[in-house]
Coordinates of all heavy atoms in Angstrom, one line a residue:
P21 N 79.1 105.7 92.7 CA 78.3 104.6 92.2 C 76.8 105.0 92.1 O 76.4 105.8 92.9 CB 78.6 103.4 93.1 CG 78.9 104.1 94.4 CD 79.7 105.4 94.1
G22 N 76.1 104.4 91.4 CA 74.6 104.7 91.2 C 73.9 104.3 92.4 O 73.6 103.0 92.7
L23 N 73.6 105.2 93.3 CA 72.8 104.8 94.5 C 71.4 105.2 94.3 O 71.0 106.1 93.6 CB 73.5 105.5 95.8 CG 74.9 105.2 96.1 CD1 75.4 106.1 97.2 CD2 74.9 103.7 96.5
P24 N 70.4 104.5 95.0 CA 69.0 104.8 94.8 C 68.6 106.2 95.4 O 67.6 106.6 95.1 CB 68.2 103.7 95.4 CG 69.2 103.0 96.3 CD 70.6 103.3 95.7
T25 N 69.3 106.6 96.3 CA 69.1 107.8 97.1 C 70.3 108.7 97.0 O 71.3 108.3 96.8 CB 68.6 107.6 98.5 OG1 69.8 106.9 99.1 CG2 67.4 106.7 98.6
Y26 N 69.9 110.1 97.2 CA 71.1 110.9 97.1 C 71.9 111.0 98.5 O 71.2 111.2 99.5 CB 70.6 112.4 96.8 CG 71.6 113.3 96.8 CD1 72.7 113.4 95.7 CD2 71.9 114.3 97.8 CE1 73.7 114.2 95.8 CE2 72.9 115.2 97.8 CZ 73.8 115.2 96.8 OH 74.9 116.1 96.9
I27 N 73.1 110.9 98.3 CA 74.0 111.0 99.6 C 75.0 112.0 99.3 O 75.7 111.9 98.2 CB 74.6 109.6 100.0 CG1 73.5 108.7 100.4 CG2 75.6 109.8 101.1 CD1 74.2 107.2 100.7
P28 N 75.3 113.0 100.0 CA 76.3 114.0 99.7 C 77.6 113.2 99.5 O 78.0 112.4 100.2 CB 76.2 114.9 100.9 CG 74.9 114.8 101.6 CD 74.6 113.3 101.3
P29 N 78.4 113.7 98.4 CA 79.6 113.0 98.2 C 80.6 113.0 99.2 O 81.2 111.9 99.6 CB 80.3 113.8 97.0 CG 79.0 114.4 96.2 CD 78.1 114.7 97.5
L30 N 80.7 114.0 100.1 CA 81.6 114.0 101.2 C 81.2 112.9 102.3 O 82.0 112.2 102.7 CB 81.6 115.4 101.9 CG 82.5 115.6 103.0 CD1 84.0 115.3 102.5 CD2 82.5 116.9 103.7
L31 N 79.9 112.9 102.5 CA 79.4 111.9 103.5 C 79.7 110.4 103.0 O 80.1 109.6 103.7 CB 78.0 112.1 103.7 CG 77.3 111.0 104.8 CD1 77.8 111.1 106.0 CD2 75.8 111.3 104.7
F32 N 79.5 110.3 101.6 CA 79.7 108.9 101.1 C 81.1 108.5 101.2 O 81.4 107.3 101.6 CB 79.2 108.9 99.6 CG 79.6 107.6 98.9 CD1 78.8 106.4 99.2 CD2 80.6 107.6 98.1 CE1 79.0 105.4 98.5 CE2 81.0 106.3 97.5 CZ 80.1 105.2 97.6
W33 N 82.1 109.4 100.9 CA 83.5 109.0 101.0 C 84.0 109.0 102.5 O 84.8 108.2 102.7 CB 84.3 110.0 100.2 CG 84.1 109.8 98.7 CD1 83.5 110.7 97.8 CD2 84.5 108.8 98.0 NE1 83.5 110.1 96.6 CE2 84.1 108.9 96.5 CE3 85.0 107.4 98.2 CZ2 84.1 108.0 95.6 CZ3 85.1 106.5 97.3 CH2 84.7 106.7 95.9
L34 N 83.4 109.6 103.3 CA 83.6 109.5 104.8 C 83.2 108.1 105.3 O 84.0 107.4 106.0 CB 83.1 110.6 105.7 CG 83.7 112.0 105.5 CD1 82.9 112.9 106.4 CD2 85.1 111.8 106.1
L35 N 82.1 107.6 104.8 CA 81.5 106.3 105.1 C 82.6 105.2 104.5 O 82.8 104.3 105.2 CB 80.2 106.1 104.5 CG 79.0 106.8 105.4 CD1 77.9 106.6 104.7 CD2 79.0 106.4 106.8
V36 N 82.9 105.5 103.3 CA 83.9 104.5 102.7 C 85.2 104.4 103.4 O 85.7 103.4 103.6 CB 84.0 104.8 101.1 CG1 85.3 104.0 100.5 CG2 82.8 104.7 100.4
L37 N 85.7 105.7 104.0 CA 86.9 105.7 104.5 C 86.9 105.2 106.0 O 87.7 104.3 106.3 CB 87.4 107.2 104.7 CG 88.7 107.4 105.5 CD1 90.0 106.9 104.7 CD2 88.8 108.9 105.6
A38 N 85.8 105.3 106.7 CA 85.5 104.6 107.9 C 85.4 103.2 107.8 O 86.1 102.3 108.7 CB 84.3 105.1 108.6
A39 N 84.8 102.6 106.8 CA 84.7 101.2 106.6 C 86.0 100.7 106.3 O 86.4 99.6 106.8 CB 83.8 100.8 105.4
A40 N 86.8 101.3 105.4 CA 88.1 100.8 105.2 C 89.1 100.8 106.3 O 89.8 99.8 106.6 CB 88.9 101.7 104.0
V41 N 89.1 101.9 107.1 CA 89.9 102.0 108.3 C 89.4 100.8 109.4 O 90.4 100.2 110.0 CB 89.7 103.3 109.0 CG1 90.3 103.3 110.4 CG2 90.5 104.4 108.1
A42 N 88.2 100.5 109.4 CA 87.7 99.6 110.3 C 88.2 98.2 109.9 O 88.6 97.3 110.7 CB 86.2 99.5 110.5
I43 N 88.2 98.0 108.5 CA 88.7 96.6 108.1 C 90.2 96.5 108.3 O 90.7 95.5 108.7 CB 88.1 96.5 106.6 CG1 86.8 96.3 106.4 CG2 89.0 95.4 105.9 CD1 86.2 96.4 105.0
L44 N 90.9 97.5 108.0 CA 92.4 97.4 108.1 C 92.8 97.2 109.6 O 93.7 96.5 109.9 CB 92.9 98.6 107.5 CG 93.0 98.9 106.0 CD1 93.5 100.1 105.5 CD2 93.7 97.8 105.4
I45 N 92.1 97.9 110.5 CA 92.5 97.9 111.8 C 92.2 96.4 112.5 O 93.1 95.8 113.0 CB 91.9 98.9 112.8 CG1 92.4 100.3 112.5 CG2 91.9 98.5 114.3 CD1 91.8 101.4 113.2
S46 N 91.0 96.0 112.0 CA 90.7 94.5 112.5 C 91.6 93.6 111.9 O 92.0 92.5 112.5 CB 89.2 94.2 112.3 OG 88.9 94.3 110.9
L47 N 92.0 93.7 110.5 CA 92.8 92.8 109.9 C 94.3 92.8 110.6 O 95.0 91.9 110.7 CB 92.9 93.0 108.3 CG 93.7 92.1 107.6 CD1 93.1 90.7 107.7 CD2 93.8 92.5 106.2
Y48 N 94.7 94.0 110.9 CA 96.0 94.2 111.4 C 96.1 93.5 112.8 O 97.0 92.8 113.2 CB 96.4 95.7 111.6 CG 97.5 96.0 112.3 CD1 98.9 95.8 111.8 CD2 97.5 96.5 113.7 CE1 100.1 96.0 112.5 CE2 98.8 96.7 114.5 CZ 100.0 96.4 113.8 OH 101.0 96.7 114.5
R49 N 95.0 93.6 113.6 CA 94.9 93.1 115.0 C 94.9 91.6 114.8 O 95.5 90.8 115.7 CB 93.7 93.4 115.6 CG 93.8 94.9 116.1 CD 92.6 95.3 117.0 NE 92.5 94.5 118.1 CZ 91.5 94.4 118.9 NH1 90.4 95.1 118.6 NH2 91.4 93.7 120.0
F50 N 94.4 91.0 113.7 CA 94.5 89.6 113.5 C 95.9 89.2 113.2 O 96.3 88.1 113.7 CB 93.4 89.1 112.3 CG 93.6 87.8 111.8 CD1 93.3 86.7 112.6 CD2 94.1 87.4 110.6 CE1 93.4 85.4 112.2 CE2 94.3 86.3 110.2 CZ 94.0 85.2 110.9
F51 N 96.6 90.0 112.4 CA 97.9 89.6 112.1 C 98.8 89.5 113.1 O 99.7 88.8 113.1 CB 98.4 90.3 110.8 CG 97.8 90.0 109.5 CD1 97.5 91.0 108.5 CD2 97.5 88.7 109.1 CE1 97.0 90.7 107.3 CE2 97.0 88.5 108.1 CZ 96.8 89.3 107.0
V52 N 98.7 90.5 114.0 CA 99.7 90.7 115.1 C 99.3 90.0 116.4 O 100.0 90.1 117.4 CB 100.0 92.2 115.4 CG1 100.7 92.8 114.1 CG2 98.8 93.0 115.9
A53 N 98.2 89.3 116.4 CA 97.6 88.7 117.6 C 98.5 87.5 118.0 O 99.1 86.8 117.1 CB 96.1 88.3 117.4
E54 N 98.6 87.2 119.2 CA 99.3 86.0 119.6 C 98.4 84.8 119.2 O 97.2 84.9 119.1 CB 99.3 86.0 121.2 CG 100.3 87.2 121.7 CD 100.4 87.1 123.3 OE1 100.0 86.0 123.7 OE2 100.9 88.0 123.8
P55 N 99.2 83.6 119.1 CA 98.4 82.4 118.5 C 97.2 82.0 119.4 O 96.2 81.6 118.8 CB 99.4 81.4 118.5 CG 100.6 82.0 118.4 CD 100.5 83.3 119.2
S56 N 97.2 82.3 120.7 CA 96.0 82.0 121.4 C 94.9 82.9 121.2 O 93.7 82.6 121.6 CB 96.4 82.0 122.9 OG 96.9 83.3 123.3
E57 N 95.2 84.1 120.7 CA 94.1 85.0 120.6 C 93.6 85.3 119.0 O 92.9 86.2 118.7 CB 94.5 86.5 121.1 CG 95.0 86.3 122.5 CD 94.5 87.3 123.3 OE1 93.9 88.4 122.8 OE2 94.7 87.2 124.6
R58 N 94.2 84.5 118.1 CA 93.9 84.7 116.7 C 92.5 84.4 116.4 O 91.8 85.0 115.6 CB 94.7 83.8 116.0 CG 96.1 84.4 115.8 CD 96.8 84.1 114.5 NE 98.0 85.0 114.4 CZ 99.1 84.4 114.3 NH1 99.4 83.1 114.2 NH2 100.3 85.1 114.3
V59 N 91.8 83.4 117.1 CA 90.4 83.2 116.8 C 89.5 84.3 117.1 O 88.6 84.7 116.3 CB 90.0 81.8 117.5 CG1 88.4 81.7 117.4 CG2 90.7 80.7 117.0
N60 N 89.8 84.9 118.3 CA 89.0 86.1 118.7 C 89.2 87.2 117.6 O 88.3 87.8 117.3 CB 89.3 86.5 120.0 CG 88.9 85.5 121.1 OD1 88.0 84.8 120.9 ND2 89.5 85.6 122.2

């Protein structure tokens, strides 16, 4: 995407991958949490 500064493509896609993994792991932890721990 058009970014205002140059970021090497490999670094950009590593950041995107890290963000996606963090979102997926935290969402998975929400889905498998016990009812008493779902809010956390």
Side-chain angles (χ1 to χ4, degrees):
L23 297 173
T25 58
Y26 176 75
I27 295 177
L30 182 61
L31 176 62
F32 176 78
W33 289 114
L34 284 175
L35 290 172
V36 169
L37 180 65
V41 167
I43 290 170
L44 286 175
I45 288 174
S46 61
L47 186 61
Y48 174 75
R49 289 183 63 195
F50 170 68
F51 284 143
V52 300
E54 295 182 12
S56 62
E57 306 225 351
R58 284 219 171 114
V59 172
N60 292 337

